[in-house]
């Protein structure tokens, strides 16, 4: 079943949420989205959803757990040794609500395991035809944000945590000022889904 923005609350990155009175707007033949959201992070105790918003998030949560869990067979085989390594990795306790600590700390362990397995480098040999991207990255033991985020996404999915690969740009923004965002600011990272909250960013590089 397909849901339009006026039917469903869609949690967005950083806890931003699309509310039921948001709408799809058609103007000059172009489709755009009007997003009505609330700002906040995991330390904001007022983020809990109630009523229709809670019901909508439950529908979306079901979709996320179904659509953001797949791991290709070859990548799963390449990542299997890392799953065992993750069990012995210690990370700083996450300063998030207790319900979210296991997922956030698992994501941090995944980042630590990848950092121990590979170094950051923009000089990575091209893949051979038919080669798996994650296999190539782990064999070369080097890569950049695209490699780390791809492997991290699939590693977390293999652990049962819904995760997605995200790409965009990093920028230092000052209110009221224009900021230049050059191509070299392009970046990739991972977001994990926290039930009742939304997509939470995790840096894998």
């Amino acid at each position: 079943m397909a849901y339009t923005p006026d039917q469903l609350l869609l949690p967005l990155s950083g806890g931003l949420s699309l509310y039921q009175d948001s709408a799809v707007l058609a103007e000059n033949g172009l489709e755009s989205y009007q997003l009505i959201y609330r700002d906040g992070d995991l330390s904001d105790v007022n983020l809990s959803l109630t009523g229709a918003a809670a019901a909508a998030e439950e529908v979306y949560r079901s979709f996320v757990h179904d659509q953001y869990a797949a791991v290709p067979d070859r990548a799963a085989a390449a990542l299997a040794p890392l799953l065992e390594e993750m069990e012995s990795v210690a990370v700083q306790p996450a300063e998030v609500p207790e319900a979210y600590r296991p997922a956030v700390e698992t994501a941090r362990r995944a980042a630590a395991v990848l950092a121990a397995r590979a170094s950051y480098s923009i000089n990575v040999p091209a893949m051979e035809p038919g080669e798996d991207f994650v296999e190539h990255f782990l064999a070369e033991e080097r890569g950049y944000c695209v490699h780390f985020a791809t492997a991290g996404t699939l590693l977390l999915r293999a652990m049962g945590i819904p995760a997605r690969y995200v790409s965009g740009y990093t920028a230092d923004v000052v209110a009221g000022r224009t900021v230049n965002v050059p191509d070299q600011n392009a970046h990739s990272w991972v977001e994990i889904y926290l039930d009742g909250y939304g997509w939470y960013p995790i840096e894998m590089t």
Side-chain angles (χ1 to χ4, degrees):
M1 179 175 186
Y3 293 88
T4 60
D6 59 337
Q7 296 173 312
L8 181 63
L9 176 146
L10 296 175
L12 304 174
S13 178
L16 305 184
S17 300
L18 175 60
Y19 275 69
Q20 288 177 306
D21 52 355
S22 299
V24 178
L25 306 176
E27 186 174 336
N28 298 326
L30 299 176
E31 187 177 84
S32 62
Y33 294 89
Q34 176 183 2
L35 302 181
I36 301 171
Y37 64 90
R38 63 178 175 187
D39 201 356
D41 58 31
L42 285 177
S43 63
D44 185 346
V45 295
N46 296 318
L47 279 175
S48 59
L49 300 175
T50 59
E57 192 277 335
E58 188 174 345
V59 172
Y60 183 66
R61 177 192 314 172
S62 177
F63 167 80
V64 166
H65 281 264
D66 181 55
Q67 297 296 315
Y68 293 89
V71 182
D73 292 340
R74 288 183 63 179
L79 292 167
L82 278 68
L83 293 174
E84 296 180 13
E85 292 178 27
M86 284 180 61
E87 297 176 4
S88 60
V89 173
V91 295
Q92 290 287 341
E95 295 182 8
V96 298
E98 188 173 345
Y100 298 139
R101 282 181 201 152
V104 173
E105 290 177 2
T106 296
R108 290 181 178 177
R109 283 198 297 275
V113 165
L114 291 175
R117 278 292 188 112
S119 59
Y120 184 91
S121 173
I122 59 172
N123 298 312
V124 182
M127 289 171 44
E128 295 295 329
E131 190 174 6
D132 180 80
F133 190 77
V134 173
E135 284 181 341
H136 178 74
F137 167 56
L138 295 176
E140 290 294 330
E141 298 182 342
R142 56 182 163 153
Y144 45 95
C145 58
V146 171
H147 298 87
F148 283 87
T150 300
T153 297
L154 297 179
L155 189 56
L156 290 169
R157 289 183 178 188
M159 296 288 291
I161 298 174
R164 66 184 183 182
Y165 170 96
V166 185
S167 62
Y169 294 85
T170 58
D172 295 322
V173 179
V174 178
R177 295 187 183 178
T178 300
V179 60
N180 292 322
V181 185
D183 287 347
Q184 64 197 40
N185 282 34
H187 189 51
S188 299
W189 63 95
V190 175
E191 289 180 350
I192 59 174
Y193 192 79
L194 303 177
D195 294 349
Y197 172 75
W199 293 102
Y200 183 79
I202 299 290
E203 179 57 65
M204 286 287 164
T205 306

